[in-house]
Amino acid sequence: EFELKWNAGESLAKLGSPNAVGYFLALSDKFDLKSYRCVTQYYYVEGRNQHDNVTYNTLSTSMDQFINMTHIFPDYIKIDVDGAEESVISGMTETIQNPKLRSVVIEVSDKSEPAISSFFHQAGFRIESEHILTTDGIIYKNILFTRK
């Protein structure tokens, strides 16, 4: 039985995808200018709060647009976007239909989980495993969807 490791490298090796390449992208449902806040870790910097918030402005694109532009097609996708899950999956309607895509790990909240699960189930994926996490009383989970 597959035990999901939440470290992407370990998970990819277990899934048979040892040649992982990371792309740092702002993904959404369309090409757009987005602002997002990122929590920093300044615990060791004297005079700074441990968790500062920094705002970044960046261009975003959809997964479908990125693949059409680069001709790079993934067999594994990891999505951890802190609340923007539905926007990201709305931009991958072509991607999800391609049988080359074997699995997706996505972090969801209890609010976003029903829509996310429905999207992947309708595309022929099943839940392989899930890992429940709690932070400051907020429950969320990482779900591994694999193609049936």
Coordinates of all heavy atoms in Angstrom, one line a residue, residues 56-134:
Y56 N 3.1 40.3 -2.4 CA 3.8 40.2 -3.7 C 2.8 40.4 -4.8 O 1.7 40.0 -4.7 CB 4.4 38.8 -3.9 CG 5.5 38.4 -2.9 CD1 5.2 37.6 -1.8 CD2 6.8 38.8 -3.1 CE1 6.2 37.3 -0.9 CE2 7.8 38.5 -2.3 CZ 7.5 37.7 -1.2 OH 8.5 37.3 -0.3
N57 N 3.2 41.1 -5.8 CA 2.4 41.3 -7.0 C 3.1 40.5 -8.1 O 4.3 40.6 -8.4 CB 2.3 42.8 -7.4 CG 1.6 43.6 -6.4 OD1 0.5 43.2 -6.0 ND2 2.3 44.6 -5.9
T58 N 2.3 39.7 -8.8 CA 2.9 38.8 -9.8 C 1.8 38.5 -10.9 O 0.6 38.7 -10.7 CB 3.4 37.5 -9.2 OG1 4.2 36.8 -10.2 CG2 2.3 36.6 -8.7
L59 N 2.3 38.1 -12.1 CA 1.4 37.6 -13.1 C 1.0 36.2 -12.8 O 1.8 35.4 -12.4 CB 2.1 37.7 -14.5 CG 2.4 39.1 -15.0 CD1 3.2 39.1 -16.3 CD2 1.1 39.9 -15.2
S60 N -0.2 35.9 -13.1 CA -0.7 34.5 -12.9 C -1.1 34.0 -14.3 O -1.4 34.8 -15.2 CB -1.8 34.5 -12.0 OG -3.0 35.0 -12.5
T61 N -1.2 32.7 -14.4 CA -1.6 32.1 -15.6 C -2.4 30.8 -15.2 O -2.3 30.4 -14.0 CB -0.5 31.7 -16.6 OG1 -1.0 31.3 -17.8 CG2 0.4 30.7 -16.0
S62 N -3.1 30.2 -16.1 CA -3.8 29.0 -15.8 C -2.9 27.8 -16.1 O -1.9 27.9 -16.9 CB -5.1 28.8 -16.5 OG -4.8 28.6 -17.9
M63 N -3.1 26.7 -15.5 CA -2.3 25.5 -15.8 C -2.5 25.1 -17.3 O -1.5 24.8 -17.9 CB -2.8 24.3 -14.9 CG -2.1 23.0 -15.2 SD -0.4 23.0 -14.6 CE -0.6 23.0 -12.9
D64 N -3.7 25.2 -17.8 CA -3.9 24.9 -19.2 C -3.0 25.9 -20.1 O -2.4 25.4 -21.1 CB -5.4 25.0 -19.6 CG -6.2 23.9 -19.0 OD1 -5.7 22.9 -18.6 OD2 -7.4 24.1 -18.9
Q65 N -3.0 27.2 -19.8 CA -2.2 28.1 -20.6 C -0.7 27.8 -20.5 O 0.0 27.9 -21.5 CB -2.5 29.5 -20.1 CG -3.9 30.0 -20.5 CD -4.2 31.4 -19.8 OE1 -3.8 31.6 -18.6 NE2 -5.0 32.2 -20.4
F66 N -0.3 27.5 -19.3 CA 1.1 27.2 -19.1 C 1.6 26.0 -19.9 O 2.6 26.0 -20.6 CB 1.4 26.9 -17.6 CG 2.8 26.4 -17.3 CD1 3.9 27.3 -17.3 CD2 3.1 25.1 -17.1 CE1 5.2 26.9 -17.1 CE2 4.4 24.6 -16.8 CZ 5.4 25.6 -16.8
I67 N 0.7 24.9 -19.9 CA 1.1 23.7 -20.7 C 1.0 24.0 -22.2 O 1.9 23.6 -22.9 CB 0.1 22.6 -20.3 CG1 0.5 22.1 -18.9 CG2 0.2 21.4 -21.3 CD1 -0.5 21.2 -18.2
N68 N 0.0 24.8 -22.6 CA -0.1 25.1 -24.0 C 1.1 26.0 -24.5 O 1.6 25.9 -25.6 CB -1.4 25.8 -24.4 CG -2.6 24.9 -24.3 OD1 -2.4 23.7 -24.5 ND2 -3.7 25.5 -24.0
M69 N 1.6 26.8 -23.6 CA 2.7 27.7 -23.9 C 4.1 27.0 -23.9 O 4.9 27.2 -24.8 CB 2.8 28.9 -22.9 CG 4.0 29.8 -23.1 SD 4.0 31.1 -21.8 CE 4.4 30.2 -20.4
T70 N 4.3 26.1 -22.9 CA 5.6 25.4 -22.8 C 5.7 24.1 -23.4 O 6.8 23.5 -23.6 CB 5.9 25.3 -21.3 OG1 4.9 24.4 -20.7 CG2 5.9 26.6 -20.6
H71 N 4.6 23.4 -23.7 CA 4.5 22.1 -24.2 C 5.1 21.1 -23.2 O 5.6 20.0 -23.6 CB 5.2 21.9 -25.6 CG 4.6 22.9 -26.6 ND1 3.3 22.7 -27.1 CD2 5.1 24.0 -27.1 CE1 3.1 23.7 -27.9 NE2 4.1 24.5 -27.9
I72 N 5.1 21.4 -21.9 CA 5.6 20.6 -20.8 C 4.3 20.0 -20.2 O 3.5 20.8 -19.7 CB 6.4 21.4 -19.8 CG1 7.6 21.9 -20.4 CG2 6.7 20.5 -18.6 CD1 8.3 22.9 -19.5
F73 N 4.2 18.7 -20.2 CA 3.0 18.1 -19.6 C 3.4 17.3 -18.4 O 4.1 16.3 -18.5 CB 2.2 17.2 -20.6 CG 0.8 17.1 -20.1 CD1 -0.2 18.0 -20.4 CD2 0.5 16.1 -19.2 CE1 -1.5 17.9 -19.9 CE2 -0.8 16.0 -18.6 CZ -1.8 16.9 -19.0
P74 N 2.8 17.6 -17.2 CA 3.1 16.9 -16.0 C 2.4 15.5 -15.9 O 1.3 15.4 -16.4 CB 2.7 17.8 -14.9 CG 1.5 18.5 -15.5 CD 1.8 18.7 -17.0
D75 N 3.1 14.6 -15.1 CA 2.3 13.4 -14.7 C 1.9 13.5 -13.3 O 1.1 12.7 -12.8 CB 3.1 12.1 -15.0 CG 4.5 12.1 -14.3 OD1 4.8 13.1 -13.6 OD2 5.2 11.1 -14.5
Y76 N 2.4 14.5 -12.6 CA 2.1 14.7 -11.2 C 2.1 16.2 -10.9 O 2.9 17.0 -11.4 CB 3.2 14.1 -10.3 CG 3.2 14.5 -8.8 CD1 2.4 13.8 -7.9 CD2 4.0 15.6 -8.4 CE1 2.4 14.2 -6.6 CE2 4.0 15.9 -7.0 CZ 3.2 15.2 -6.1 OH 3.1 15.6 -4.8
I77 N 1.1 16.7 -10.2 CA 0.9 18.1 -9.8 C 0.7 18.2 -8.3 O -0.1 17.4 -7.7 CB -0.2 18.8 -10.5 CG1 0.0 18.7 -12.1 CG2 -0.5 20.2 -10.1 CD1 -1.2 19.2 -12.9
K78 N 1.4 19.1 -7.7 CA 1.1 19.4 -6.2 C 0.6 20.8 -6.1 O 1.2 21.8 -6.7 CB 2.4 19.3 -5.4 CG 2.2 19.6 -3.9 CD 3.4 19.4 -3.1 CE 3.2 19.4 -1.7 NZ 2.7 20.6 -1.1
I79 N -0.5 21.0 -5.5 CA -1.2 22.3 -5.4 C -1.3 22.6 -3.9 O -2.0 21.9 -3.2 CB -2.6 22.3 -6.1 CG1 -2.4 22.0 -7.5 CG2 -3.2 23.7 -5.9 CD1 -3.7 21.7 -8.2
D80 N -0.7 23.7 -3.5 CA -0.8 24.2 -2.1 C -0.9 25.7 -2.2 O 0.1 26.4 -2.3 CB 0.4 23.8 -1.3 CG 0.3 24.2 0.2 OD1 -0.7 25.0 0.6 OD2 1.1 23.8 1.0
V81 N -2.2 26.2 -2.3 CA -2.4 27.6 -2.6 C -3.2 28.4 -1.6 O -3.7 29.5 -1.8 CB -3.0 27.8 -4.0 CG1 -2.0 27.4 -5.1 CG2 -4.3 27.0 -4.2
D82 N -3.4 27.8 -0.4 CA -4.0 28.5 0.7 C -5.3 29.3 0.4 O -5.4 30.5 0.6 CB -3.0 29.4 1.4 CG -1.8 28.7 2.0 OD1 -2.0 27.5 2.3 OD2 -0.7 29.3 2.1
G83 N -6.3 28.5 -0.1 CA -7.6 29.1 -0.3 C -7.9 29.4 -1.8 O -9.1 29.7 -2.1
A84 N -7.0 29.3 -2.7 CA -7.2 29.6 -4.1 C -7.4 28.3 -4.9 O -7.3 28.3 -6.1 CB -6.1 30.4 -4.7
E85 N -7.7 27.2 -4.3 CA -7.7 25.9 -4.9 C -8.8 25.9 -6.1 O -8.5 25.4 -7.2 CB -8.1 24.8 -3.9 CG -7.2 24.6 -2.8 CD -7.5 25.5 -1.6 OE1 -8.6 26.0 -1.5 OE2 -6.6 25.6 -0.8
E86 N -10.0 26.4 -5.8 CA -11.0 26.4 -6.8 C -10.6 27.2 -8.1 O -10.9 26.8 -9.2 CB -12.3 26.8 -6.2 CG -12.8 25.7 -5.2 CD -14.2 26.1 -4.6 OE1 -15.2 26.2 -5.4 OE2 -14.2 26.3 -3.4
S87 N -10.0 28.3 -7.9 CA -9.5 29.1 -9.0 C -8.5 28.3 -9.8 O -8.5 28.3 -11.1 CB -8.9 30.4 -8.5 OG -8.4 31.2 -9.6
V88 N -7.5 27.7 -9.1 CA -6.5 26.9 -9.8 C -7.1 25.7 -10.6 O -6.8 25.6 -11.8 CB -5.4 26.4 -8.9 CG1 -4.5 25.4 -9.5 CG2 -4.6 27.6 -8.3
I89 N -8.0 25.0 -10.0 CA -8.5 23.8 -10.8 C -9.5 24.3 -11.9 O -9.6 23.6 -12.9 CB -9.2 22.8 -9.9 CG1 -10.5 23.4 -9.2 CG2 -8.2 22.2 -8.9 CD1 -11.3 22.3 -8.5
S90 N -10.1 25.5 -11.8 CA -10.9 26.0 -12.9 C -10.0 26.3 -14.1 O -10.5 26.3 -15.2 CB -11.6 27.3 -12.4 OG -12.6 27.0 -11.5
G91 N -8.7 26.5 -13.9 CA -7.8 26.8 -15.0 C -7.1 25.5 -15.5 O -6.1 25.6 -16.2
M92 N -7.6 24.3 -15.1 CA -6.9 23.1 -15.5 C -7.9 22.1 -16.1 O -7.7 20.9 -16.0 CB -6.0 22.5 -14.5 CG -6.7 22.2 -13.2 SD -5.5 21.6 -11.9 CE -5.1 20.0 -12.5
T93 N -8.9 22.6 -16.8 CA -10.0 21.7 -17.3 C -9.4 20.8 -18.4 O -9.9 19.7 -18.6 CB -11.2 22.5 -17.7 OG1 -10.8 23.5 -18.7 CG2 -11.9 23.2 -16.6
E94 N -8.5 21.3 -19.2 CA -7.9 20.5 -20.3 C -6.9 19.6 -19.7 O -6.8 18.4 -20.1 CB -7.2 21.4 -21.3 CG -8.2 22.3 -22.1 CD -7.4 23.3 -23.0 OE1 -6.2 23.2 -23.3 OE2 -8.1 24.4 -23.3
T95 N -6.1 20.1 -18.8 CA -5.0 19.3 -18.2 C -5.5 18.1 -17.5 O -5.0 17.0 -17.6 CB -4.3 20.2 -17.1 OG1 -3.8 21.4 -17.7 CG2 -3.1 19.5 -16.4
I96 N -6.6 18.2 -16.8 CA -7.2 17.1 -16.0 C -7.7 16.0 -16.9 O -7.8 14.8 -16.5 CB -8.3 17.6 -15.1 CG1 -8.5 16.6 -13.9 CG2 -9.6 17.9 -15.8 CD1 -7.4 16.6 -12.9
Q97 N -8.0 16.3 -18.2 CA -8.5 15.3 -19.1 C -7.4 14.5 -19.8 O -7.7 13.4 -20.3 CB -9.4 15.9 -20.2 CG -10.6 16.6 -19.6 CD -11.5 15.7 -18.8 OE1 -11.7 14.5 -19.1 NE2 -12.1 16.2 -17.7
N98 N -6.2 14.9 -19.7 CA -5.1 14.2 -20.4 C -4.7 13.0 -19.6 O -4.3 13.2 -18.4 CB -3.9 15.2 -20.6 CG -2.9 14.6 -21.5 OD1 -2.5 13.5 -21.4 ND2 -2.4 15.5 -22.4
P99 N -4.7 11.8 -20.1 CA -4.3 10.6 -19.4 C -2.8 10.6 -18.9 O -2.5 9.8 -18.1 CB -4.6 9.5 -20.3 CG -4.7 10.1 -21.7 CD -5.1 11.5 -21.5
K100 N -2.0 11.5 -19.4 CA -0.6 11.5 -18.9 C -0.6 12.0 -17.5 O 0.4 11.6 -16.8 CB 0.2 12.5 -19.8 CG 0.5 12.0 -21.2 CD 1.3 13.0 -21.9 CE 1.5 12.6 -23.4 NZ 2.2 13.6 -24.2
L101 N -1.5 12.8 -17.0 CA -1.6 13.2 -15.7 C -2.1 12.0 -14.8 O -3.2 11.6 -14.9 CB -2.6 14.4 -15.5 CG -2.7 14.9 -14.1 CD1 -1.3 15.4 -13.5 CD2 -3.7 16.0 -14.0
R102 N -1.2 11.5 -13.9 CA -1.4 10.4 -13.1 C -1.9 10.7 -11.7 O -2.7 9.9 -11.1 CB -0.2 9.5 -13.1 CG 0.2 9.0 -14.4 CD 1.5 8.2 -14.4 NE 1.7 7.3 -13.3 CZ 2.8 7.0 -12.7 NH1 3.9 7.5 -13.1 NH2 2.9 6.2 -11.7
S103 N -1.4 11.8 -11.2 CA -1.8 12.1 -9.8 C -1.7 13.6 -9.5 O -0.9 14.3 -10.1 CB -1.0 11.3 -8.8 OG 0.4 11.6 -9.0
V104 N -2.5 14.0 -8.5 CA -2.5 15.4 -8.0 C -2.6 15.3 -6.5 O -3.4 14.6 -5.9 CB -3.7 16.2 -8.5 CG1 -3.7 17.6 -8.0 CG2 -3.6 16.2 -10.1
V105 N -1.7 16.0 -5.8 CA -1.8 16.3 -4.4 C -2.3 17.7 -4.2 O -1.7 18.6 -4.8 CB -0.5 16.1 -3.6 CG1 -0.6 16.6 -2.2 CG2 0.0 14.6 -3.6
I106 N -3.3 17.9 -3.4 CA -3.9 19.2 -3.2 C -4.2 19.4 -1.8 O -4.8 18.5 -1.2 CB -5.1 19.5 -4.2 CG1 -5.6 20.9 -4.1 CG2 -6.2 18.5 -4.0 CD1 -6.5 21.4 -5.2
E107 N -3.9 20.6 -1.3 CA -4.3 20.9 0.1 C -5.6 21.6 0.0 O -5.8 22.6 -0.8 CB -3.2 21.9 0.7 CG -3.6 22.2 2.2 CD -2.6 23.2 2.8 OE1 -1.5 22.7 3.1 OE2 -2.9 24.4 2.9
V108 N -6.6 21.2 0.8 CA -7.9 21.7 0.8 C -8.4 22.0 2.2 O -7.9 21.5 3.2 CB -9.0 20.7 0.2 CG1 -8.6 20.4 -1.2 CG2 -9.1 19.4 1.0
S109 N -9.3 22.9 2.3 CA -10.0 23.2 3.6 C -11.3 22.5 3.6 O -11.8 22.0 2.6 CB -10.2 24.7 3.7 OG -11.2 25.2 2.7
D110 N -12.0 22.5 4.7 CA -13.3 21.8 4.8 C -14.3 22.5 3.9 O -15.2 21.9 3.3 CB -13.8 21.7 6.2 CG -13.8 23.0 7.0 OD1 -13.3 24.0 6.5 OD2 -14.4 23.1 8.0
K111 N -14.1 23.8 3.7 CA -14.9 24.6 2.8 C -14.7 24.3 1.3 O -15.7 24.2 0.5 CB -14.7 26.1 3.0 CG -15.5 27.0 2.1 CD -15.2 28.5 2.4 CE -15.9 29.4 1.5 NZ -15.5 30.8 1.6
S112 N -13.5 24.1 0.9 CA -13.2 23.8 -0.5 C -13.2 22.4 -0.9 O -13.3 22.0 -2.1 CB -11.8 24.4 -0.9 OG -10.8 23.8 -0.3
E113 N -13.2 21.5 0.1 CA -13.0 20.0 -0.2 C -14.2 19.5 -1.1 O -13.9 18.7 -2.0 CB -12.9 19.2 1.1 CG -12.7 17.7 0.8 CD -12.5 16.9 2.0 OE1 -12.6 17.5 3.1 OE2 -12.4 15.7 1.9
P114 N -15.5 19.8 -0.8 CA -16.5 19.2 -1.7 C -16.3 19.5 -3.2 O -16.4 18.6 -4.0 CB -17.8 19.7 -1.1 CG -17.5 20.1 0.3 CD -16.0 20.5 0.3
A115 N -16.1 20.7 -3.5 CA -15.9 21.1 -4.9 C -14.7 20.5 -5.5 O -14.7 20.1 -6.7 CB -15.9 22.7 -5.1
I116 N -13.6 20.5 -4.8 CA -12.4 19.9 -5.3 C -12.5 18.4 -5.5 O -12.2 17.9 -6.6 CB -11.2 20.1 -4.3 CG1 -11.0 21.6 -4.0 CG2 -9.9 19.4 -4.7 CD1 -10.6 22.4 -5.2
S117 N -13.1 17.7 -4.6 CA -13.3 16.3 -4.7 C -14.2 16.0 -5.9 O -14.0 15.0 -6.7 CB -13.9 15.7 -3.4 OG -12.9 15.7 -2.4
S118 N -15.3 16.7 -6.0 CA -16.2 16.5 -7.2 C -15.5 16.7 -8.5 O -15.6 15.9 -9.4 CB -17.4 17.5 -7.1 OG -18.2 17.4 -8.2
F119 N -14.7 17.8 -8.6 CA -13.9 18.0 -9.8 C -13.0 16.8 -10.2 O -13.1 16.4 -11.4 CB -13.0 19.3 -9.6 CG -12.1 19.6 -10.8 CD1 -12.6 20.3 -11.9 CD2 -10.8 19.3 -10.7 CE1 -11.8 20.6 -13.0 CE2 -9.9 19.6 -11.8 CZ -10.4 20.2 -12.9
F120 N -12.3 16.3 -9.3 CA -11.4 15.2 -9.6 C -12.1 13.9 -9.8 O -11.8 13.1 -10.7 CB -10.3 15.0 -8.5 CG -9.2 16.1 -8.6 CD1 -9.2 17.2 -7.7 CD2 -8.3 16.0 -9.5 CE1 -8.3 18.2 -7.8 CE2 -7.3 17.0 -9.6 CZ -7.3 18.1 -8.8
H121 N -13.2 13.6 -9.1 CA -14.0 12.4 -9.3 C -14.6 12.4 -10.7 O -14.6 11.4 -11.4 CB -15.0 12.2 -8.2 CG -14.4 11.8 -6.9 ND1 -14.7 12.4 -5.7 CD2 -13.5 10.8 -6.6 CE1 -14.0 11.9 -4.7 NE2 -13.3 10.9 -5.2
Q122 N -15.1 13.6 -11.1 CA -15.8 13.7 -12.4 C -14.7 13.5 -13.5 O -15.1 13.0 -14.6 CB -16.5 15.0 -12.6 CG -17.7 15.1 -11.8 CD -18.4 16.4 -11.9 OE1 -18.0 17.3 -12.7 NE2 -19.4 16.7 -11.0
A123 N -13.5 13.8 -13.2 CA -12.4 13.6 -14.2 C -11.8 12.2 -14.2 O -10.8 11.9 -14.9 CB -11.3 14.7 -14.0
G124 N -12.3 11.3 -13.4 CA -11.8 9.9 -13.3 C -10.7 9.7 -12.3 O -10.0 8.7 -12.5
F125 N -10.6 10.5 -11.3 CA -9.6 10.3 -10.2 C -10.3 9.8 -9.0 O -11.5 10.0 -8.8 CB -8.9 11.6 -9.9 CG -7.9 12.1 -11.0 CD1 -8.3 12.6 -12.2 CD2 -6.6 11.9 -10.7 CE1 -7.4 13.0 -13.1 CE2 -5.6 12.3 -11.7 CZ -6.1 12.8 -12.9
R126 N -9.5 9.1 -8.2 CA -10.0 8.6 -6.9 C -9.1 9.1 -5.8 O -7.9 9.5 -6.1 CB -10.1 7.1 -6.9 CG -8.8 6.4 -7.0 CD -9.0 4.9 -7.0 NE -7.7 4.2 -7.1 CZ -6.9 3.9 -6.2 NH1 -7.1 4.3 -4.9 NH2 -5.7 3.3 -6.4
I127 N -9.5 9.1 -4.6 CA -8.7 9.5 -3.4 C -7.8 8.3 -3.1 O -8.3 7.2 -2.7 CB -9.5 9.9 -2.2 CG1 -10.2 11.2 -2.6 CG2 -8.6 10.1 -1.0 CD1 -11.2 11.7 -1.5
E128 N -6.5 8.5 -3.2 CA -5.6 7.4 -2.8 C -5.3 7.5 -1.4 O -5.2 6.4 -0.7 CB -4.3 7.6 -3.7 CG -3.2 6.6 -3.4 CD -3.4 5.3 -4.1 OE1 -4.1 5.2 -5.1 OE2 -2.9 4.3 -3.5
S129 N -5.1 8.7 -0.8 CA -4.8 8.8 0.6 C -5.1 10.3 1.0 O -5.1 11.2 0.1 CB -3.4 8.4 1.0 OG -2.5 9.2 0.4
E130 N -5.2 10.5 2.2 CA -5.4 11.9 2.7 C -4.7 12.0 4.1 O -4.6 11.0 4.8 CB -6.8 12.3 2.8 CG -7.8 11.4 3.5 CD -9.2 11.8 3.3 OE1 -9.6 12.4 2.3 OE2 -10.0 11.5 4.2
H131 N -4.3 13.2 4.4 CA -3.6 13.5 5.6 C -4.2 14.8 6.2 O -4.2 15.8 5.6 CB -2.1 13.8 5.3 CG -1.3 14.1 6.5 ND1 -0.9 13.1 7.4 CD2 -0.7 15.2 6.9 CE1 -0.2 13.7 8.4 NE2 0.0 15.0 8.0
I132 N -4.8 14.6 7.4 CA -5.5 15.7 8.0 C -4.6 16.5 8.9 O -3.7 15.9 9.6 CB -6.7 15.2 8.9 CG1 -7.7 14.5 8.0 CG2 -7.4 16.3 9.7 CD1 -8.8 13.7 8.8
L133 N -4.7 17.8 8.8 CA -3.8 18.7 9.5 C -4.7 19.8 10.2 O -5.7 20.1 9.8 CB -2.9 19.5 8.5 CG -2.1 18.6 7.6 CD1 -1.7 19.4 6.4 CD2 -0.9 18.1 8.3
T134 N -4.2 20.2 11.4 CA -4.9 21.3 12.1 C -3.9 22.4 12.5 O -2.8 22.0 13.0 CB -5.5 20.7 13.4 OG1 -6.4 19.6 13.0 CG2 -6.4 21.8 14.1

